[in-house]
CSV table of all heavy atoms in Angstrom, one decimal:
chain,number,residue,atom,x,y,z
A,62,THR,N,147.0,67.5,155.6
A,62,THR,CA,148.0,67.5,156.7
A,62,THR,C,147.3,67.9,158.0
A,62,THR,O,146.3,68.5,158.0
A,62,THR,CB,149.2,68.5,156.4
A,62,THR,OG1,148.7,69.8,156.2
A,62,THR,CG2,150.0,68.0,155.2
A,63,ASN,N,148.0,67.4,159.0
A,63,ASN,CA,147.5,67.7,160.4
A,63,ASN,C,148.7,67.8,161.3
A,63,ASN,O,149.7,66.9,161.2
A,63,ASN,CB,146.6,66.6,160.9
A,63,ASN,CG,146.0,66.8,162.3
A,63,ASN,OD1,145.6,67.9,162.6
A,63,ASN,ND2,146.1,65.8,163.1
A,64,TYR,N,148.7,68.7,162.2
A,64,TYR,CA,149.9,69.0,163.1
A,64,TYR,C,149.5,69.0,164.5
A,64,TYR,O,148.4,69.5,164.9
A,64,TYR,CB,150.6,70.3,162.7
A,64,TYR,CG,151.2,70.3,161.3
A,64,TYR,CD1,150.4,70.7,160.2
A,64,TYR,CD2,152.4,69.8,161.1
A,64,TYR,CE1,150.9,70.7,158.9
A,64,TYR,CE2,153.0,69.8,159.8
A,64,TYR,CZ,152.2,70.3,158.7
A,64,TYR,OH,152.7,70.3,157.5
A,65,ALA,N,150.4,68.5,165.4
A,65,ALA,CA,150.2,68.8,166.8
A,65,ALA,C,150.4,70.3,167.1
A,65,ALA,O,151.2,70.9,166.4
A,65,ALA,CB,151.3,68.0,167.6
A,66,ASP,N,149.7,70.8,168.1
A,66,ASP,CA,149.8,72.2,168.4
A,66,ASP,C,151.2,72.6,168.7
A,66,ASP,O,151.6,73.8,168.3
A,66,ASP,CB,148.9,72.5,169.6
A,66,ASP,CG,147.4,72.5,169.2
A,66,ASP,OD1,147.1,72.5,168.0
A,66,ASP,OD2,146.6,72.4,170.2
A,67,PHE,N,152.0,71.8,169.3
A,67,PHE,CA,153.3,72.2,169.7
A,67,PHE,C,154.3,72.3,168.5
A,67,PHE,O,155.5,72.8,168.7
A,67,PHE,CB,153.9,71.3,170.8
A,67,PHE,CG,153.9,69.8,170.4
A,67,PHE,CD1,154.8,69.3,169.6
A,67,PHE,CD2,152.9,69.0,171.0
A,67,PHE,CE1,154.8,67.9,169.3
A,67,PHE,CE2,152.9,67.6,170.7
A,67,PHE,CZ,153.8,67.1,169.8
A,68,VAL,N,153.9,72.0,167.3
A,68,VAL,CA,154.8,72.1,166.2
A,68,VAL,C,154.2,73.0,165.1
A,68,VAL,O,154.9,73.3,164.1
A,68,VAL,CB,155.3,70.8,165.5
A,68,VAL,CG1,156.0,69.9,166.6
A,68,VAL,CG2,154.1,70.1,164.9
A,69,LYS,N,153.0,73.4,165.2
A,69,LYS,CA,152.3,74.2,164.2
A,69,LYS,C,153.1,75.5,163.9
A,69,LYS,O,153.6,76.2,164.8
A,69,LYS,CB,150.9,74.6,164.6
A,69,LYS,CG,149.9,73.5,164.4
A,69,LYS,CD,148.5,73.9,164.8
A,69,LYS,CE,147.5,72.8,164.6
A,69,LYS,NZ,146.1,73.1,165.1
A,70,GLY,N,153.3,75.8,162.6
A,70,GLY,CA,154.1,76.9,162.2
A,70,GLY,C,155.6,76.7,162.2
A,70,GLY,O,156.3,77.6,161.7
A,71,ARG,N,156.0,75.6,162.7
A,71,ARG,CA,157.5,75.3,162.7
A,71,ARG,C,157.9,74.1,161.9
A,71,ARG,O,158.9,74.0,161.3
A,71,ARG,CB,158.0,75.0,164.2
A,71,ARG,CG,157.8,76.2,165.1
A,71,ARG,CD,158.5,76.0,166.5
A,71,ARG,NE,158.0,74.8,167.2
A,71,ARG,CZ,158.7,73.8,167.6
A,71,ARG,NH1,160.0,73.8,167.4
A,71,ARG,NH2,158.2,72.8,168.3
A,72,PHE,N,157.0,73.1,161.9
A,72,PHE,CA,157.3,71.8,161.2
A,72,PHE,C,156.4,71.7,160.0
A,72,PHE,O,155.2,72.2,160.0
A,72,PHE,CB,157.0,70.6,162.1
A,72,PHE,CG,158.0,70.4,163.2
A,72,PHE,CD1,158.9,71.4,163.5
A,72,PHE,CD2,158.0,69.3,163.9
A,72,PHE,CE1,159.8,71.2,164.6
A,72,PHE,CE2,158.9,69.0,165.0
A,72,PHE,CZ,159.8,70.0,165.3
A,73,THR,N,156.9,71.0,158.9
A,73,THR,CA,156.1,70.8,157.7
A,73,THR,C,156.2,69.3,157.3
A,73,THR,O,157.4,68.9,157.1
A,73,THR,CB,156.4,71.7,156.6
A,73,THR,OG1,156.3,73.1,157.0
A,73,THR,CG2,155.6,71.5,155.4
A,74,ILE,N,155.1,68.6,157.1
A,74,ILE,CA,155.2,67.3,156.6
A,74,ILE,C,154.8,67.3,155.1
A,74,ILE,O,154.0,68.1,154.7
A,74,ILE,CB,154.2,66.3,157.4
A,74,ILE,CG1,154.4,64.9,157.0
A,74,ILE,CG2,152.8,66.8,157.2
A,74,ILE,CD1,153.7,63.9,157.8
A,75,SER,N,155.5,66.5,154.3
A,75,SER,CA,155.2,66.4,152.9
A,75,SER,C,155.5,65.0,152.4
A,75,SER,O,156.2,64.2,153.1
A,75,SER,CB,156.1,67.4,152.1
A,75,SER,OG,157.4,67.2,152.3
A,76,ARG,N,155.0,64.7,151.3
A,76,ARG,CA,155.3,63.4,150.7
A,76,ARG,C,155.6,63.5,149.2
A,76,ARG,O,155.0,64.3,148.5
A,76,ARG,CB,154.1,62.4,150.9
A,76,ARG,CG,152.8,62.8,150.3
A,76,ARG,CD,151.6,62.0,150.8
A,76,ARG,NE,151.8,60.6,150.6
A,76,ARG,CZ,151.1,59.7,151.3
A,76,ARG,NH1,150.3,60.0,152.2
A,76,ARG,NH2,151.4,58.4,151.1
A,77,ASP,N,156.5,62.6,148.8
A,77,ASP,CA,156.8,62.5,147.4
A,77,ASP,C,156.5,61.1,147.0
A,77,ASP,O,157.4,60.2,147.2
A,77,ASP,CB,158.3,62.9,147.1
A,77,ASP,CG,158.6,62.9,145.7
A,77,ASP,OD1,157.9,62.3,144.8
A,77,ASP,OD2,159.6,63.6,145.3
A,78,ASN,N,155.3,60.8,146.5
A,78,ASN,CA,155.0,59.5,146.2
A,78,ASN,C,155.8,58.8,145.0
A,78,ASN,O,156.1,57.6,145.0
A,78,ASN,CB,153.5,59.4,145.8
A,78,ASN,CG,152.6,59.7,146.9
A,78,ASN,OD1,152.9,59.4,148.1
A,78,ASN,ND2,151.4,60.2,146.7
A,79,ALA,N,156.3,59.7,144.1
A,79,ALA,CA,157.2,59.1,143.1
A,79,ALA,C,158.5,58.6,143.6
A,79,ALA,O,159.0,57.6,143.1
A,79,ALA,CB,157.4,60.2,142.0
A,80,GLN,N,158.9,59.3,144.7
A,80,GLN,CA,160.2,58.8,145.4
A,80,GLN,C,159.9,57.9,146.5
A,80,GLN,O,160.9,57.4,147.2
A,80,GLN,CB,161.0,60.0,145.9
A,80,GLN,CG,161.5,61.0,144.8
A,80,GLN,CD,162.5,60.3,143.9
A,80,GLN,OE1,163.3,59.5,144.3
A,80,GLN,NE2,162.4,60.6,142.6
A,81,ASN,N,158.6,57.6,146.8
A,81,ASN,CA,158.2,56.7,147.9
A,81,ASN,C,158.8,57.2,149.2
A,81,ASN,O,159.3,56.4,150.0
A,81,ASN,CB,158.7,55.3,147.6
A,81,ASN,CG,157.5,54.3,147.6
A,81,ASN,OD1,156.4,54.7,147.3
A,81,ASN,ND2,157.7,53.1,147.8
A,82,THR,N,158.8,58.5,149.4
A,82,THR,CA,159.4,59.1,150.6
A,82,THR,C,158.5,60.2,151.2
A,82,THR,O,157.8,60.9,150.5
A,82,THR,CB,160.8,59.8,150.2
A,82,THR,OG1,161.6,58.8,149.6
A,82,THR,CG2,161.5,60.4,151.4
A,83,VAL,N,158.6,60.2,152.6
A,83,VAL,CA,157.9,61.3,153.3
A,83,VAL,C,158.9,62.1,154.1
A,83,VAL,O,159.9,61.5,154.5
A,83,VAL,CB,156.9,60.6,154.3
A,83,VAL,CG1,156.2,61.7,155.2
A,83,VAL,CG2,155.8,59.9,153.5
A,84,TYR,N,158.7,63.4,154.2
A,84,TYR,CA,159.6,64.3,154.8
A,84,TYR,C,159.0,65.0,156.0
A,84,TYR,O,157.8,65.2,156.1
A,84,TYR,CB,160.1,65.3,153.8
A,84,TYR,CG,160.7,64.7,152.6
A,84,TYR,CD1,160.0,64.6,151.4
A,84,TYR,CD2,162.1,64.3,152.6
A,84,TYR,CE1,160.6,64.1,150.3
A,84,TYR,CE2,162.6,63.8,151.4
A,84,TYR,CZ,161.9,63.7,150.3
A,84,TYR,OH,162.4,63.1,149.2
A,85,LEU,N,159.9,65.4,156.9
A,85,LEU,CA,159.4,66.3,158.0
A,85,LEU,C,160.5,67.4,158.1
A,85,LEU,O,161.6,67.2,158.5
A,85,LEU,CB,159.3,65.6,159.3
A,85,LEU,CG,158.8,66.4,160.5
A,85,LEU,CD1,157.3,66.8,160.2
A,85,LEU,CD2,159.0,65.7,161.8
A,86,GLN,N,160.1,68.6,157.6
A,86,GLN,CA,161.0,69.8,157.7
A,86,GLN,C,160.7,70.4,159.1
A,86,GLN,O,159.6,70.8,159.4
A,86,GLN,CB,160.7,70.8,156.6
A,86,GLN,CG,161.5,72.0,156.7
A,86,GLN,CD,163.0,71.8,156.4
A,86,GLN,OE1,163.3,71.1,155.5
A,86,GLN,NE2,163.8,72.4,157.3
A,87,MET,N,161.8,70.5,159.9
A,87,MET,CA,161.7,71.0,161.2
A,87,MET,C,162.5,72.3,161.3
A,87,MET,O,163.7,72.3,161.2
A,87,MET,CB,162.2,70.0,162.2
A,87,MET,CG,161.5,68.6,162.1
A,87,MET,SD,161.9,67.5,163.4
A,87,MET,CE,163.7,67.3,163.1
A,88,ASN,N,161.8,73.4,161.6
A,88,ASN,CA,162.5,74.7,161.7
A,88,ASN,C,162.3,75.2,163.2
A,88,ASN,O,161.4,74.8,163.9
A,88,ASN,CB,161.9,75.7,160.7
A,88,ASN,CG,162.1,75.3,159.3
A,88,ASN,OD1,163.1,74.6,159.0
A,88,ASN,ND2,161.2,75.7,158.4
A,89,SER,N,163.1,76.2,163.5
A,89,SER,CA,163.0,76.8,164.9
A,89,SER,C,163.0,75.8,166.0
A,89,SER,O,162.1,75.8,166.9
A,89,SER,CB,161.7,77.7,164.9
A,89,SER,OG,161.7,78.7,163.9
A,90,LEU,N,163.9,74.9,165.9
A,90,LEU,CA,163.9,73.8,166.8
A,90,LEU,C,164.2,74.2,168.3
A,90,LEU,O,164.9,75.2,168.5
A,90,LEU,CB,164.9,72.7,166.4
A,90,LEU,CG,164.4,71.8,165.3
A,90,LEU,CD1,165.6,71.1,164.6
A,90,LEU,CD2,163.4,70.8,165.8
A,91,LYS,N,163.5,73.6,169.2
A,91,LYS,CA,163.7,73.9,170.6
A,91,LYS,C,164.3,72.7,171.4
A,91,LYS,O,164.1,71.5,170.9
A,91,LYS,CB,162.3,74.2,171.2
A,91,LYS,CG,161.6,75.3,170.5
A,91,LYS,CD,160.2,75.5,171.1
A,91,LYS,CE,159.4,76.6,170.3
A,91,LYS,NZ,158.0,76.7,170.9
A,92,PRO,N,164.9,72.9,172.5
A,92,PRO,CA,165.4,71.7,173.3
A,92,PRO,C,164.3,70.7,173.6
A,92,PRO,O,164.6,69.5,173.6
A,92,PRO,CB,165.9,72.4,174.6
A,92,PRO,CG,166.3,73.8,174.1
A,92,PRO,CD,165.3,74.2,173.1
A,93,GLU,N,163.1,71.1,173.7
A,93,GLU,CA,162.0,70.2,174.0
A,93,GLU,C,161.6,69.4,172.8
A,93,GLU,O,160.8,68.4,173.0
A,93,GLU,CB,160.8,70.9,174.6
A,93,GLU,CG,160.3,72.1,173.8
A,93,GLU,CD,160.8,73.4,174.3
A,93,GLU,OE1,162.1,73.5,174.7
A,93,GLU,OE2,160.0,74.4,174.4
A,94,ASP,N,162.1,69.7,171.7
A,94,ASP,CA,161.9,68.8,170.5
A,94,ASP,C,162.8,67.6,170.5
A,94,ASP,O,162.7,66.7,169.6
A,94,ASP,CB,162.1,69.6,169.2
A,94,ASP,CG,161.1,70.7,169.0
A,94,ASP,OD1,159.9,70.5,169.3
A,94,ASP,OD2,161.5,71.8,168.6
A,95,THR,N,163.7,67.5,171.4
A,95,THR,CA,164.6,66.4,171.5
A,95,THR,C,163.9,65.1,171.7
A,95,THR,O,163.1,65.0,172.7
A,95,THR,CB,165.7,66.6,172.6
A,95,THR,OG1,166.5,67.7,172.3
A,95,THR,CG2,166.5,65.4,172.8
A,96,ALA,N,164.1,64.1,170.8
A,96,ALA,CA,163.3,62.9,170.9
A,96,ALA,C,163.8,62.0,169.8
A,96,ALA,O,164.5,62.4,168.9
A,96,ALA,CB,161.8,63.1,170.8
A,97,VAL,N,163.4,60.7,169.9
A,97,VAL,CA,163.5,59.8,168.7
A,97,VAL,C,162.3,60.0,167.9
A,97,VAL,O,161.1,59.9,168.4
A,97,VAL,CB,163.6,58.3,169.2
A,97,VAL,CG1,163.7,57.4,168.0
A,97,VAL,CG2,164.9,58.2,170.1
A,98,TYR,N,162.5,60.2,166.6
A,98,TYR,CA,161.4,60.5,165.7
A,98,TYR,C,161.1,59.2,164.9
A,98,TYR,O,162.1,58.7,164.3
A,98,TYR,CB,161.7,61.7,164.8
A,98,TYR,CG,161.5,63.0,165.5
A,98,TYR,CD1,162.4,63.4,166.5
A,98,TYR,CD2,160.4,63.8,165.3
A,98,TYR,CE1,162.2,64.6,167.2
A,98,TYR,CE2,160.2,65.0,165.9
A,98,TYR,CZ,161.1,65.4,166.9
A,98,TYR,OH,161.0,66.6,167.6
A,99,TYR,N,159.9,58.8,164.8
A,99,TYR,CA,159.5,57.6,164.1
A,99,TYR,C,158.5,57.9,163.0
A,99,TYR,O,157.6,58.7,163.1
A,99,TYR,CB,158.8,56.6,165.1
A,99,TYR,CG,159.6,56.1,166.2
A,99,TYR,CD1,159.6,56.8,167.4
A,99,TYR,CD2,160.3,55.0,166.1
A,99,TYR,CE1,160.4,56.3,168.5
A,99,TYR,CE2,161.1,54.5,167.1
A,99,TYR,CZ,161.1,55.2,168.3
A,99,TYR,OH,161.9,54.7,169.4
């Protein structure tokens, strides 16, 4: 995994290949996190 500095310690990326799905767990959200996520 690799994270942008502005989300380190707050966001976690993971993948479940069996489910063919990738996740982004976002904690301690801030107003500046407002965006469209792709």
Side-chain angles (χ1 to χ4, degrees):
T62 57
N63 181 47
Y64 297 92
D66 286 343
F67 52 79
V68 302
K69 281 182 180 177
R71 300 190 298 126
F72 291 11
T73 303
I74 188 171
S75 62
R76 65 193 300 161
D77 185 339
N78 291 331
Q80 295 296 322
N81 242 25
T82 303
V83 174
Y84 303 97
L85 184 68
Q86 177 67 44
M87 306 187 295
N88 299 328
S89 302
L90 282 161
K91 305 174 181 180
E93 51 263 44
D94 294 319
T95 295
V97 177
Y98 284 72
Y99 296 91

